[in-house]
Amino acid sequence: MTDTLLPAGENAGDDEFEVRCGIPDVIRDDLVQIGGIAGLRARLPPAERIGEISATHHALSDPVRVAILHLLSVQPLCVCVIRECMGISGSKLSYHLNILRENGLIVSEQQGNWMIYRITERGGMFAEAG
Amino acid sequence: MTDTLLPAGENAGDDEFEVRCGIPDVIRDDLVQIGGIAGLRARLPPAERIGEISATHHALSDPVRVAILHLLSVQPLCVCVIRECMGISGSKLSYHLNILRENGLIVSEQQGNWMIYRITERGGMFAEAG
DNA sequence: CATCTATTTCAAATTATTATGAAATGCATA
DNA sequence: TATGCATTTCATAATAATTTGAAATAGATG
């Protein structure tokens, strides 16, 4: 990354890469069209958005959580019913419910002794899609 | 789970649970309508399908992989261009490309010295959605 | 107030995922 | 065949996620 045929500038490094790299023509031609490496980068969602997207997918990356989401897409449920339905320990269930809630896929509301969980609109979209 | 008011049968355990559990009326009434715990379970996708869903989400649960998918939604790319664009090591990139490929979100094709990755139709759906 | 039930929290142990750098593979070309 | 380049593989280290069981919290009820 020291010698380059191109004038120094904001994207000098990228242009230099494209010049030096002997990648297949089909790819390079299109790449040049869209502005090279810099153009490619510019088409990425901002890092913050990418973080949000991966976080949501992470929330649904465990079969227990996918199952919970589907149960709640049927109707709102208290913890003890979810627990009975899935046959897992209370603390384990609580752990997974937290992750779904933190990611805005479900919400909870206390009702006397019980905690009622229900799916959000956002959560519903993922339950339908899956 | 020993004494129950109901006849023994396939779902005796579940019915017993519903009878004993003093969950809020709003929830229990609906729950009874759909067939209780057993009815709820019957509405879940099969375990196999839930595994597939969570596996796909897992493939997209890392920001590096989400970024790669978005890059490939612009155009097919060889590894060296993705690498330059993201500024990560080759072995790290290879690791993440493998996960995306194993989950059917991208495919690869060798072209001389280069390996060209392109997004699949399935992968494209997730790139659009995100 | 004492007790029961439902749920959550916590710390520790277990397991899974990701990162790293060196070595290996495979194609191209002199 | 020797060399160079692009990519992958491998073993290992580092980090993160999940499970577990005991203890804590909080509402309801006698």
Side-chain angles (χ1 to χ4, degrees):
Chain A
M1 284 241 189
T2 45
D3 294 326
T4 175
L5 301 172
L6 296 161
E10 211 177 307
N11 302 316
D14 299 339
D15 293 339
E16 180 192 356
F17 172 79
E18 286 157 35
V19 168
R20 283 186 302 114
C21 185
I23 62 180
D25 290 347
V26 230
I27 287 182
R28 190 170 63 173
D29 291 350
D30 288 347
L31 188 53
V32 167
Q33 285 294 323
I34 67 170
I37 299 282
L40 209 47
R41 280 208 194 105
R43 281 169 169 79
L44 274 182
E48 194 181 63
R49 177 78 190 114
I50 286 187
E52 288 168 5
I53 295 170
S54 60
T56 299
H57 284 296
H58 175 259
L60 292 168
S61 68
D62 186 295
V64 171
R65 296 195 287 269
V66 171
I68 294 173
L69 197 74
H70 274 86
L71 287 180
L72 294 177
S73 78
V74 177
Q75 66 162 85
L77 296 169
C78 59
V79 177
C80 60
V81 169
I82 304 176
R83 195 174 107 35
E84 180 75 12
C85 202
M86 312 232 318
I88 63 179
S89 74
S91 63
K92 182 171 171 175
L93 177 52
S94 207
Y95 169 76
H96 289 290
L97 286 170
N98 260 324
I99 291 176
L100 289 170
R101 184 157 43 73
E102 285 163 0
N103 283 276
L105 299 168
I106 64 177
V107 291
S108 61
E109 171 203 7
Q110 188 141 14
Q111 208 161 113
N113 230 328
W114 294 271
M115 191 65 83
I116 311 296
Y117 281 88
R118 65 184 69 237
I119 201 168
T120 61
E121 189 181 356
R122 189 169 132 72
M125 288 170 53
F126 285 97
E128 280 174 44
Chain B
M1 284 241 189
T2 46
D3 293 327
T4 174
L5 302 172
L6 297 161
E10 211 178 311
N11 301 315
D14 299 339
D15 294 341
E16 180 192 355
F17 171 80
E18 286 158 36
V19 169
R20 284 187 300 114
C21 184
I23 63 180
D25 291 347
V26 231
I27 288 181
R28 190 170 62 173
D29 292 350
D30 288 346
L31 189 52
V32 167
Q33 285 294 321
I34 67 170
I37 298 282
L40 208 46
R41 280 207 193 106
R43 280 170 170 77
L44 274 183
E48 194 181 63
R49 176 76 190 116
I50 287 189
E52 289 168 6
I53 295 170
S54 60
T56 299
H57 284 296
H58 175 259
L60 292 168
S61 67
D62 186 295
V64 170
R65 295 195 288 269
V66 171
I68 293 173
L69 197 74
H70 274 86
L71 286 181
L72 293 177
S73 78
V74 177
Q75 67 163 84
L77 295 169
C78 59
V79 177
C80 61
V81 168
I82 304 177
R83 197 176 104 36
E84 179 76 12
C85 202
M86 313 234 314
I88 64 179
S89 74
S91 64
K92 182 171 170 177
L93 177 52
S94 206
Y95 169 76
H96 289 291
L97 287 170
N98 260 323
I99 291 177
L100 289 170
R101 183 156 43 74
E102 284 163 0
N103 282 277
L105 300 168
I106 64 178
V107 290
S108 61
E109 171 204 6
Q110 188 142 14
Q111 208 162 114
N113 231 327
W114 294 270
M115 192 65 83
I116 311 297
Y117 282 89
R118 66 184 70 237
I119 201 167
T120 60
E121 189 180 355
R122 190 169 131 70
M125 288 168 54
F126 285 97
E128 281 175 42

